[in-house]
Amino acid sequence: MPPRQDNFEELIQSIAKSADRASFARVYEFYAPRVRNYLVRLGMANNVAEELAQETMLTVWRKASYFDASRAGASTWILTIARNLRIDHHRRASGRDAAPDDPSQAQESPAPPDSSLIQAESEERVRQALASLSAEQAEIIKRLYFDEKPHSAIAQSLGLPLGTVKSRARLAIGHLRRLLDDLK
Amino acid sequence: MSDLRHPSDETLLRLAYGSLGLGPSAVVGAHVAGCARCGGVVEDFERVAGALLELLPDADVPADGLARALAAIERDAPRPGEAPPAPPASRVEMPKGVALPQSVGDCDFSPWRTIAPGIRVSRARAHWARAFNVKLLSVQPGKRLLMHGHRGVEWTCVLAGAFHDGRARFAAGDLCEVDESVDHRPVVEPGEACVCLVAAEGSTRHHGMAGRLHQAIFGD
Ligand SMILES: [Zn+2]
């Protein structure tokens, strides 16, 4: 996996500042396919995932002024937008209730235009923390995140009995949390 | 896993990523909204999720996606700060002084129904919530619930009052997460009725004749 090339935090800030379409294009090219992949992995049909990935990117454009790099890096911000849109979609699709709550649309004030990139740096350190997990723990963490039925996926991919998966998962998460704490 | 009054790390991880079911997400979200400790953990897990998003392969998207997005942008000028439409308010009569958590604030609930002496239930009616048996429970002070286990995981957020389940005491704001390894028999403290918001993955199993009878009658 090559490291990401662009500084997406700056690109999003330039969307906010000057409605810059070229910046948006670069953000789109990197994130739209990944967001679509994220949604499909959570069990969404291809065509719906594609539509919601598109909606996620349009939300990035519309809400760019709310992006606060001192609170979350670009990837984290975009992931939470996609996550909330997916929840909205399922809650709406199931009838009876209409509008859902969307934490990303809560009463946040627009971010100051030149906020620092502290959080983006810490996202980089999160990448380092992930890289310093053992291969088995990294695999467990990825399955916990990416798979709908993580325990059976872990059992299968690591050849572990289902009974031991839970305790291994707990150890892996505990290790990850200690690494994250060390970064603070 | 030291403090039983918070969700497990695995639950918080799945909440952060969005892979936790909608029902449990609403119940756990009600706790996290008022718990600084769990709010911080969720933010950590969101950061990891963001880093992992970058690792996902960039599978095929339609070649005209960007062009369509740019066209949509031209049609619809940015509207920063525009307020989202207010969600419809939920229709459920909450016990006096108890607020319905915001995470289910737009969800319709059935009228309260007495299912056993001293125990009333109001079920979420939205389809997404029914799939996880999301319900409000109101239990009279001093009442002992049936000993029960779980086939999946069950999350209970206490909204008012308190109960003890033999392992720990759970009061307003606390979240009790139990899986199939736990058989518990919650007892509500004297004084105040205990009101909870509950969701489950899988189903509840009751012990003994009374439990099976209860299950046959009430279906949970
Ligand atoms: Zn907590």
Side-chain angles (χ1 to χ4, degrees):
Chain A
M1 179 65 210
R4 57 182 203 168
Q5 314 272 308
D6 281 309
N7 184 327
F8 291 109
E9 288 75 23
E10 276 175 16
L11 291 175
I12 294 170
Q13 283 165 340
S14 81
I15 296 172
K17 241 179 286 180
S18 48
D20 182 34
R21 282 152 176 79
S23 297
F24 178 74
R26 277 155 76 189
V27 174
Y28 184 99
E29 299 283 4
F30 185 80
Y31 286 104
R34 288 174 172 81
V35 167
R36 179 182 169 282
N37 198 329
Y38 159 78
L39 294 167
V40 168
R41 277 166 182 261
L42 286 178
M44 210 163 227
N46 277 319
N47 57 333
V48 186
E50 201 173 292
E51 213 173 283
L52 269 196
Q54 197 77 354
E55 188 56 36
T56 301
M57 299 319 293
L58 289 175
T59 305
V60 168
W61 172 271
R62 291 189 198 117
K63 298 207 176 283
S65 62
Y66 291 80
F67 172 65
D68 180 353
S70 71
R71 288 180 41 192
S75 297
T76 302
W77 186 59
I78 292 173
L79 178 111
T80 57
I81 291 173
R83 177 195 68 193
N84 295 340
L85 284 173
R86 174 179 170 273
I87 292 174
D88 291 1
H89 173 84
H90 286 307
R91 285 178 73 145
R92 236 183 320 233
S94 71
R96 272 196 181 262
D97 331 288
D101 56 39
D102 176 355
S104 80
Q105 305 195 352
Q107 1 39 7
E108 291 169 30
S109 49
D114 276 310
S115 55
S116 66
L117 296 178
I118 308 165
Q119 212 57 58
E121 270 169 41
S122 100
E123 225 167 61
E124 174 54 37
R125 281 180 293 161
V126 167
R127 281 188 279 279
Q128 288 169 15
L130 281 170
S132 65
L133 287 172
S134 72
E136 180 183 292
Q137 292 199 327
E139 174 70 11
I140 289 173
I141 294 295
K142 283 182 198 165
R143 294 284 167 208
L144 284 172
Y145 272 103
F146 292 150
D147 283 283
E148 238 190 319
K149 297 206 167 87
H151 290 166
S152 43
I154 291 167
Q156 204 162 36
S157 113
L158 294 176
L160 292 170
L162 202 52
T164 61
V165 165
K166 199 166 261 188
S167 60
R168 296 281 182 102
R170 203 173 300 148
L171 283 175
I173 297 175
H175 190 187
L176 175 65
R177 281 200 52 201
R178 276 193 302 282
L179 289 169
L180 295 173
D181 281 342
D182 290 347
L183 298 178
K184 280 177 182 164
Chain B
M1 262 294 277
S2 44
D3 194 335
L4 292 168
R5 295 164 305 164
H6 303 274
S8 67
D9 280 345
E10 188 173 325
T11 290
L12 293 173
L13 182 153
R14 292 170 67 206
L15 177 76
Y17 186 67
S19 53
L20 188 63
L22 267 62
S25 290
V27 174
V28 176
H31 166 81
V32 172
C35 177
R37 178 247 181 219
C38 289
V41 175
V42 168
E43 274 180 25
D44 278 350
F45 285 140
E46 283 176 346
R47 228 166 277 145
V48 176
L52 288 173
L53 178 67
E54 296 173 10
L55 295 179
L56 284 176
D58 52 346
D60 41 311
V61 286
D64 67 341
L66 177 59
R68 282 191 293 120
L70 288 167
I73 284 167
E74 299 313 326
R75 279 198 305 274
D76 143 61
R79 297 159 297 181
E82 186 182 275
S90 163
R91 281 171 295 155
V92 61
E93 199 185 317
M94 291 298 285
K96 212 172 170 204
V98 184
L100 189 67
Q102 224 184 345
S103 60
V104 288
D106 59 332
C107 187
D108 195 16
F109 284 81
S110 69
W112 290 93
R113 200 162 68 89
T114 299
I115 57 165
I119 305 176
R120 294 188 309 145
V121 67
S122 164
R123 291 182 188 284
R125 282 169 155 162
H127 187 266
W128 64 264
R130 283 207 312 268
F132 297 95
N133 203 3
V134 174
K135 62 192 171 195
L136 290 159
L137 269 179
S138 174
V139 184
Q140 285 310 301
K143 183 85 195 160
R144 184 177 285 267
L145 294 180
L146 283 169
M147 167 75 92
H148 64 287
H150 307 87
R151 282 197 200 94
V153 183
E154 186 184 78
W155 294 266
T156 301
C157 184
V158 183
L159 307 179
F163 69 84
H164 203 293
D165 76 346
R167 304 172 307 152
R169 174 181 187 266
F170 299 88
D174 291 341
L175 187 119
C176 174
E177 173 177 332
V178 288
D179 65 15
E180 60 276 0
S181 66
V182 180
D183 276 343
H184 67 163
R185 182 161 196 183
V187 181
V188 173
E189 286 191 348
E192 190 187 350
C194 183
V195 182
C196 299
L197 179 66
V198 187
E201 262 177 0
S203 53
T204 316
R205 68 196 147 76
H206 291 275
H207 296 275
M209 197 55 178
R212 283 197 298 278
L213 192 65
H214 176 93
Q215 194 159 25
I217 297 170
F218 303 116
D220 68 355

